[in-house]
Amino acid sequence: MPAMYTVDILHVIQEPAWLMYCETPVPAGVPIPPESYRGPSIDLNKLLLPHPHSTYLARVNGDSMDGPPSYIRDGAFMTIDCSLKPEPGHLVVAALDGEFTVKRLEKRGSTFWLIPDNPNHQPIDLSLQGKNFEVWGVVTHVITDMVGRPRRL
């Protein structure tokens, strides 16, 4: 049996969550002097939850996606949109034998696979899963704590 992620589904408050937006791009290469300009406020719910009645927030528990290209770390939060049609290349949350896992959906020939980004985990051939498999939603965003503070809700 392939290693599963534990995906904790969390309640999302559907009120605006406003943050100040800095319109000046922040380069990841050569530093440039910052401009002291604040742009308009951004509603995080509108950005992260375009389909609020079919989008969930989940916390990741596991390391099968912590390699390239996703780098989704243990403890990260994901927004999962259940209204989107899963396509090859999407990160998806799938239910296998009643347990959730998050992997990249790929099509190899006529067969669909769930592919981990961590090479220490094995791909899952969905043709072998029968009726014990269902794509539950598409991962649209990942929120990772870069400071390492304790995760409290």
Side-chain angles (χ1 to χ4, degrees):
M1 178 74 172
M4 295 292 142
Y5 260 119
T6 300
V7 179
D8 299 324
I9 307 301
L10 307 170
H11 177 71
V12 177
I13 299 171
Q14 296 181 7
E15 298 173 7
W18 297 100
L19 290 181
M20 294 300 295
Y21 172 66
C22 177
E23 288 187 332
T24 304
V26 179
V30 179
I32 61 170
E35 295 179 29
S36 58
Y37 178 76
R38 288 186 188 172
S41 296
I42 293 179
D43 179 357
L44 286 181
N45 284 337
K46 191 173 182 179
L47 177 70
L48 298 175
L49 309 170
H51 306 113
H53 298 292
S54 61
T55 303
Y56 297 87
L57 186 65
R59 185 193 319 257
V60 174
N61 181 3
D63 67 353
S64 74
M65 295 304 288
D66 71 357
S70 310
Y71 296 103
I72 300 174
R73 297 188 331 204
D74 179 56
F77 290 98
M78 302 179 297
T79 57
I80 304 158
D81 191 331
C82 298
S83 71
L84 297 178
K85 179 183 176 193
E87 301 284 344
H90 283 167
L91 293 180
V92 298
V93 171
L96 295 170
D97 293 323
E99 293 186 47
F100 286 123
T101 187
V102 60
K103 302 283 186 284
R104 185 171 314 282
L105 182 65
E106 283 190 9
K107 188 171 185 182
R108 297 178 178 174
S110 61
T111 305
F112 284 93
W113 290 73
L114 294 176
I115 307 297
D117 284 350
N118 182 333
N120 294 324
H121 294 266
Q122 296 299 311
I124 302 167
D125 180 349
L126 295 178
S127 67
L128 303 177
Q129 298 302 314
K131 295 185 180 214
N132 298 324
F133 162 75
E134 177 184 10
V135 172
W136 193 65
V138 175
V139 177
T140 56
H141 296 86
V142 176
I143 304 165
T144 301
D145 182 352
M146 301 303 290
V147 179
R149 293 185 199 131
R151 297 177 297 252
R152 295 184 194 143
L153 295 179

